Amino acid sequence: MDSPLPIVTRFAPSPNGRLHLGHAFSAIVAHDLAMEAGGRFLLRIEDIDGPRSHPELADEFRRDLEWLGLEWEEVPAQSTRLASYEAAADRLTERGLAYRCRCTRKQIAALPRRTGSDGFEYSGSCRETCGPADGQGPAALRLDIDRAMRAAGEVVWVDAYAGSVIADPREFGDVVIVRKDLPASYHLAATLDDAADGVTLVTRGSDLFDSTHVHRVLQALLDLPVPDWHHHKLILDDDGEKLAKRRGSPPLSARRDSGDDGLMLAEQLRLHKTEAGT
């Protein structure tokens, strides 16, 4: 029998805000899963968020991880991989699986829709009016989810807690894979990057569980290797909401600068895995 692949996990923060306790917990879970199995823990900076990306924060992230006592291997940042995103988008478009969409957010909000895991589900109004070859004006690129699912066939992914899951991303509608203002969406970039980095275990919060349906279909369409997934539970604030940059969750850097013990904090997070997270 073939031996199992070595565990390769990653922590992939975006430098559009400082890391908080939720990030620390996710990084620790991924790091420990790799170390316990004699595997590899990677750091990847997801820095293609246009003007919201602040390169100086990447150095702060490294200081935060070191303060927590974590060791990692750093892989190329997303900004070095733009050609791979363009090639994948072209491949999907040439197969008739993606189409251009010039709709604004205001226009989409005015369309009949239902709410899905990724916000408002897009109705697909540009599927026929713009088409794959329409080159007029700035446009996003959307995956034609019905065609994509027919092309991919039934595909399955495996989560550490949910077990085997049949991929069904229809709740997202025709999801954006290339934004008007960015070279790729999270869905496309993260999927391609994980394959390029040899990730065998995608470790991330349970808030991204549903996104895996999209990622698994993209893997099938682009002939990419299929990892396993470990979606851990989230650390919540006093209001029962997940910690988030946009909610002003206190940054790790403030704790570090005030003289808090990062190693002790990491151990506290580990000890509360069953309550806060895994």
Side-chain angles (χ1 to χ4, degrees):
M1 295 181 62
D2 295 334
S3 59
L5 292 173
I7 287 182
V8 181
T9 68
R10 85 315 193 254
F11 176 57
S14 299
N16 54 17
R18 291 176 165 82
L19 302 185
H20 51 63
L21 277 181
H23 294 112
F25 182 72
S26 191
I28 289 167
V29 171
H31 171 273
D32 290 359
L33 286 169
M35 296 303 102
E36 289 165 5
R40 299 166 60 209
F41 171 61
L42 311 179
L43 171 65
R44 182 175 71 231
I45 304 298
E46 299 195 337
D47 59 346
I48 59 169
D49 202 7
R52 296 180 64 220
S53 285
H54 301 283
E56 68 277 7
L57 287 181
D59 285 334
E60 185 173 294
F61 294 170
R62 296 180 188 102
R63 290 192 292 271
D64 288 339
L65 296 181
E66 185 177 10
W67 175 67
L68 292 168
L70 307 185
E71 297 181 356
W72 67 90
E73 300 174 43
E74 189 154 350
V75 294
Q78 284 187 333
S79 57
T80 69
R81 294 171 161 174
L82 304 188
S84 69
Y85 307 150
E86 183 177 3
D90 288 346
R91 184 176 171 188
L92 294 170
T93 302
E94 289 166 1
R95 294 178 60 189
L97 302 176
Y99 62 90
R100 292 167 60 82
C101 172
R102 293 195 302 271
C103 293
T104 65
R105 291 183 180 180
K106 184 177 181 180
Q107 289 171 327
I108 293 172
L111 294 171
R113 78 278 192 201
R114 67 183 179 85
T115 301
S117 299
D118 207 27
F120 289 127
E121 180 185 325
Y122 176 65
S123 67
S125 62
C126 279
R127 191 180 299 115
E128 302 300 331
T129 57
C130 289
D134 183 354
Q136 299 178 4
L141 193 68
R142 291 184 178 273
L143 188 67
D144 187 322
I145 209 66
D146 289 332
R147 289 186 179 183
M149 290 184 67
R150 287 196 297 270
E154 184 174 285
V155 291
V156 175
W157 54 280
V158 178
D159 178 74
Y161 298 105
S164 295
V165 181
I166 297 174
D168 185 358
R170 286 174 294 184
E171 185 176 358
F172 286 81
D174 290 353
V175 67
V176 170
I177 56 173
V178 177
R179 286 173 49 179
K180 290 180 183 179
D181 55 342
L182 299 180
S185 71
Y186 168 73
H187 297 300
L188 183 63
T191 300
L192 291 169
D193 293 343
D194 285 340
D197 294 335
V199 171
T200 64
L201 181 64
V202 177
T203 306
R204 58 192 181 195
S206 59
D207 54 326
L208 291 170
F209 183 94
D210 288 341
S211 295
T212 308
H213 291 284
V214 177
H215 301 178
R216 182 64 189 90
V217 169
L218 285 171
Q219 287 164 351
L221 297 175
L222 297 169
D223 301 315
L224 300 176
V226 181
D228 290 329
W229 280 264
H230 181 116
H231 290 96
H232 58 76
K233 292 182 181 178
L234 305 176
I235 294 181
L236 305 179
D237 63 18
D238 293 339
D239 297 324
E241 300 285 344
K242 74 172 185 176
L243 300 180
K245 298 171 186 176
R246 66 180 181 276
R247 287 175 55 83
S249 299
L252 295 179
S253 57
R255 293 171 175 263
R256 175 166 49 81
D257 292 342
S258 68
D260 285 2
D261 188 328
L263 298 181
M264 182 178 296
L265 175 63
E267 287 308 306
Q268 289 173 341
L269 288 170
R270 288 186 177 100
L271 289 172
H272 290 83
K273 279 183 179 180
T274 53
E275 297 176 18
T278 61

